Amino acid sequence: MTTITCVQGDITEQHVDAIVNAANSSLLGGGGVDGAIHRKGGPDILTACRALRAAHYGKGLPTGQAVATPAGRLPARWVIHTVGPVFQVSGGGDESLLASCYRESLRVADELGARTVAFPAISTGVYRWPMEEAARIAVETVRGTETLVEEVRFVLFDERAYEAFAAQVG
């Protein structure tokens, strides 16, 4: 059974097998968690992402999918990149795509043999997903996904995110 924990902190400092990156579809870095992972992990991550783009994802990684690269200078072994859906204020968001980010990341983690995985709050930054709803979807999806991962650690940058996820974990 997978243990689910929450910590407030910096995902780039987590000593886990795999860190999940809330990437953009280009896989070439960006802001928020994505930018922090690329900056701290160094050029090896970008090199691996460019190779993935050239070989398999010429049009970018589709929303809800996940793919792994080495973690460069991060204390993890791998970075699992996933593209979350954008929440539209007028129309909401596709919960199934957000859930797919977590499910597909766990599938990739299983393929890698990762036993500890750190997740950020996917889609809650510039993609505007409401924090409480995102936390509910994330925790329900992790709990409902069959995986060999022993620990899922939600690493939340601020107190508001931590409280929303901790309330769901219980």
Side-chain angles (χ1 to χ4, degrees):
M1 183 166 156
T2 303
T3 301
I4 301 173
T5 60
C6 294
V7 297
Q8 186 176 337
D10 182 346
I11 198 164
T12 66
E13 296 176 0
Q14 300 300 306
H15 292 264
V16 292
D17 294 331
I19 290 172
V20 176
N21 180 17
N24 63 51
S25 65
S26 77
L27 296 175
L28 302 180
V33 169
D34 193 17
I37 286 172
H38 276 271
R39 280 190 303 277
K40 196 155 186 184
D44 291 347
I45 297 173
L46 182 58
T47 299
C49 285
R50 283 187 175 135
L52 283 169
R53 282 291 306 264
H56 304 289
Y57 301 103
K59 294 182 180 182
L61 183 66
T63 301
Q65 298 300 302
V67 65
T69 64
R73 296 190 298 250
L74 296 171
R77 293 178 63 192
W78 301 286
V79 174
I80 299 171
H81 307 267
T82 190
V83 180
V86 175
F87 187 87
Q88 302 296 332
V89 176
S90 61
D94 186 340
E95 287 189 18
S96 68
L97 285 175
L98 184 55
S100 181
C101 291
Y102 291 96
R103 202 170 24 261
E104 286 296 304
S105 294
L106 290 171
R107 180 189 59 76
V108 170
D110 284 345
E111 289 175 0
L112 295 168
R115 296 296 174 255
T116 54
V117 177
F119 279 98
I122 297 168
S123 285
T124 60
V126 297
Y127 288 5
R128 301 182 302 275
W129 210 283
M131 189 63 70
E132 290 73 19
E133 189 177 333
R136 176 187 57 78
I137 294 165
V139 173
E140 284 177 1
T141 302
V142 169
R143 283 191 175 135
T145 300
E146 194 170 313
T147 181
L148 298 173
V149 172
E150 295 167 3
E151 180 193 358
V152 166
R153 184 180 310 161
F154 289 107
V155 183
L156 297 314
F157 191 72
D158 62 23
E159 188 171 341
R160 180 175 159 260
Y162 173 82
E163 288 175 359
F165 274 77
Q168 291 296 318
V169 170

